Amino acid sequence: MVMKVYSPEFKADAVALYLSDPSHTFEGIGKDLGISRETLRNWVRAERARRGPSGATSTNMKDTLVSEATTQELEAEIAALRAELKTVRKENQKLATERDILRKATKFFAPRDDLVNRCQFIEDHHRAWGVKRLCQVLEVARSTFYKWRAGRAARAARERSDAALAERIRAVHTEWDGTYGRPRITAELRDDGELVNHKRVGRVMRKFGIAGLRLRKRQVTTVPEPSATPVPDLLRRDFTANTPNTKYVGDITYLPVGDGEFLYLATVIDCFSRRLVGWSIADHMRASLVTDALRAAARTRGGLAGAVFHSDHGAQYTSREFADVCAELGVRQSMGAVGTSADNALAESFNAALKRETLRGARRFDGAHACRLAVFRWTTRYNTRRRHSANGQQAPTAYEQQSATLTLAA
């Protein structure tokens, strides 16, 4: 049963109502106010005791009762408030800790969010927050984490073994001019005394980017760059820059025109201001499409020496011609993972905005000429007038000018 707590004002009014007329009874007033007759009797008795023989006037009786609330009731209320405050503080501290954990984890998981990454994050930060708390926040069973930790030595040994096997696979692959695939390489290794099955050979070949020759009917538009060293991902989905002319992204997008025909647009976008500094449009997808866009960016900036250009693994960007132009201009190439659009999200977002705002729901442009004019108008307005959320709702050129002014002022 929950005890009712009455305010001093209510008590004072109840006593005053009873004393206002000698004909009033405790039973009658108690029923009217929803209190027991004994409770009202105790209030009246306490009030008469406080008034004493001299008798307090009915005028100051309410004020006296309000100012002299019972110590027991006040202490009970204070204790309840303190307990509630303690609970709230504990919950706030827990939420703050979880917020800090997730804030760090967001940066940690930027390249990839999988169970291995979560376990590695717990291992790196368990001294600060504890394994139990980290497992709860990241939704990883503690038994899973400890199992992962126990297998670190075995995984490291397997990585070393895979690397050694990859070297032997690469030697066979090179010996046969890159024509051997998984079955023949497995046979060669077995003949040399290597105890290995075709499944492991295939896994290691995929892991280290080794593939046999496959002749497929396809249209070849460019010659791939035959470098043994793959192009690294220098951006790792970080599409920000502290200064202009340091980090660029680019892509090729299809522009539908006429009846089943296309134009192709290649772009070079500055990560600092999102400014389109170079672009090229043509009715083909040869490597000259992307080299023209990069040279246009070099003319706009007065040079690109030392800058990074990030793209996908399109044939144009992996061509020898494009690699030669990058070397000529002093540009460092960067590429994301194959088939992962998020690794070039800035360029993808630009292409989507261009098509959305030029086609406006239409399926195609009204011919190649109309398409070129629409792209020219939109890209010019994009740089000079279109507000961009990444720039604090400023156009790219205005954002660059403001940044240059602030730099000079500093």
Side-chain angles (χ1 to χ4, degrees):
M1 180 177 179
V2 179
M3 180 182 294
K4 292 185 179 180
V5 178
Y6 299 96
S7 65
E9 291 86 351
F10 180 88
K11 296 177 182 179
D13 289 337
V15 173
L17 178 61
Y18 173 81
L19 297 177
S20 64
D21 190 338
S23 63
H24 287 164
T25 63
F26 292 121
E27 187 73 21
I29 298 300
K31 286 184 178 180
D32 291 340
L33 300 180
I35 58 178
S36 67
R37 58 190 301 277
E38 289 301 321
T39 298
L40 180 58
R41 185 194 303 275
N42 290 335
W43 292 350
V44 173
R45 184 180 299 147
E47 173 57 23
R48 285 173 173 168
R50 279 192 289 270
R51 291 167 60 180
S54 59
T57 62
S58 60
T59 304
N60 61 11
M61 177 178 58
K62 182 177 180 178
D63 294 337
T64 301
L65 287 174
V66 171
S67 62
E68 296 181 2
T70 61
T71 303
Q72 184 178 4
E73 293 171 350
L74 291 176
E75 288 179 349
E77 292 181 7
I78 291 172
L81 290 173
R82 285 177 176 171
E84 183 179 357
L85 179 60
K86 183 179 180 180
T87 302
V88 171
R89 284 177 175 172
K90 185 177 181 180
E91 184 66 22
N92 285 343
Q93 185 179 6
K94 178 183 177 182
L95 292 175
T97 302
E98 293 180 356
R99 179 200 62 197
D100 293 339
I101 293 173
L102 293 174
R103 183 178 295 168
K104 282 185 175 290
T106 299
K107 298 179 180 178
F108 189 89
F109 298 147
R112 184 178 59 186
D113 179 13
D114 55 20
L115 183 60
V116 173
N117 273 13
R118 293 180 183 226
C119 290
Q120 187 62 56
F121 182 85
I122 296 171
E123 176 66 20
D124 294 344
H125 298 85
H126 73 277
R127 287 186 175 84
W129 290 303
V131 172
K132 181 178 180 180
R133 173 61 62 80
L134 288 168
C135 287
Q136 289 175 345
V137 174
L138 299 181
E139 298 180 350
V140 175
R142 274 188 287 174
S143 59
T144 300
F145 167 71
Y146 287 121
K147 183 178 180 181
W148 172 87
R149 176 189 274 181
R152 282 182 299 181
R155 287 194 301 273
R158 188 175 70 173
E159 288 293 328
R160 292 191 296 270
S161 178
D162 285 351
L165 179 60
E167 289 301 318
R168 295 190 288 274
I169 291 173
R170 190 173 284 111
V172 176
H173 189 258
T174 302
E175 180 183 357
W176 291 95
D177 300 325
T179 59
Y180 270 15
R182 180 187 65 180
R184 289 187 174 88
I185 290 178
T186 303
E188 286 284 331
L189 294 175
R190 286 176 176 174
D191 287 346
D192 291 339
E194 185 78 32
L195 299 178
V196 64
N197 62 33
H198 67 282
K199 292 182 179 180
R200 186 184 177 203
V201 171
R203 177 179 61 81
V204 172
M205 289 179 68
R206 288 192 300 272
K207 180 178 179 180
F208 288 87
I210 306 171
L213 178 64
R214 292 185 179 182
L215 297 178
R216 292 182 177 180
K217 188 177 180 180
R218 55 177 296 182
Q219 181 181 3
V220 179
T221 56
T222 56
V223 179
E225 168 64 23
S227 173
T229 304
V231 176
D233 185 354
L234 302 178
L235 266 60
R236 302 189 68 81
R237 299 188 185 180
D238 179 13
F239 302 111
T240 61
N242 296 326
T243 57
N245 199 28
T246 56
K247 291 165 62 174
Y248 293 92
V249 298
D251 194 13
I252 299 176
T253 188
Y254 295 75
L255 301 174
V257 298
D259 186 13
E261 299 175 350
F262 294 93
L263 291 181
Y264 306 97
L265 174 68
T267 56
V268 180
I269 306 167
D270 195 317
C271 292
F272 172 75
S273 61
R274 273 50 173 179
R275 180 181 176 184
L276 180 66
V277 296
W279 59 281
S280 175
I281 189 170
D283 58 356
H284 62 79
M285 290 183 65
R286 294 188 291 273
S288 59
L289 177 68
V290 295
T291 58
D292 289 346
L294 194 63
R295 292 187 184 278
R299 290 192 297 270
T300 301
R301 290 301 195 191
L304 299 176
V308 174
F309 179 81
H310 182 83
S311 68
D312 57 19
H313 283 262
Q316 297 76 15
Y317 294 112
T318 58
S319 67
R320 180 184 294 108
E321 182 179 346
F322 185 73
D324 291 341
V325 172
C326 287
E328 174 189 337
L329 299 176
V331 173
R332 293 185 296 160
Q333 281 188 266
S334 170
M335 291 185 182
V338 177
T340 305
S341 60
D343 285 353
N344 202 17
L346 175 55
E348 297 282 354
S349 177
F350 175 90
N351 293 338
L354 183 148
K355 290 183 179 180
R356 182 177 63 251
E357 297 180 14
T358 53
L359 285 171
R360 299 183 182 181
R363 297 179 63 86
R364 296 182 175 275
F365 292 95
D366 296 331
H369 181 67
C371 177
R372 291 176 184 271
L373 291 179
V375 171
F376 171 76
R377 180 175 183 272
W378 189 89
T379 54
T380 303
R381 288 166 60 89
Y382 170 86
N383 280 337
T384 59
R385 296 184 58 188
R386 187 180 182 275
R387 300 180 185 274
H388 204 296
S389 59
N391 299 337
Q393 300 300 337
Q394 295 186 76
T397 53
Y399 183 74
E400 287 189 358
Q401 291 169 0
Q402 181 189 35
S403 299
T405 302
L406 293 175
T407 301
L408 291 174

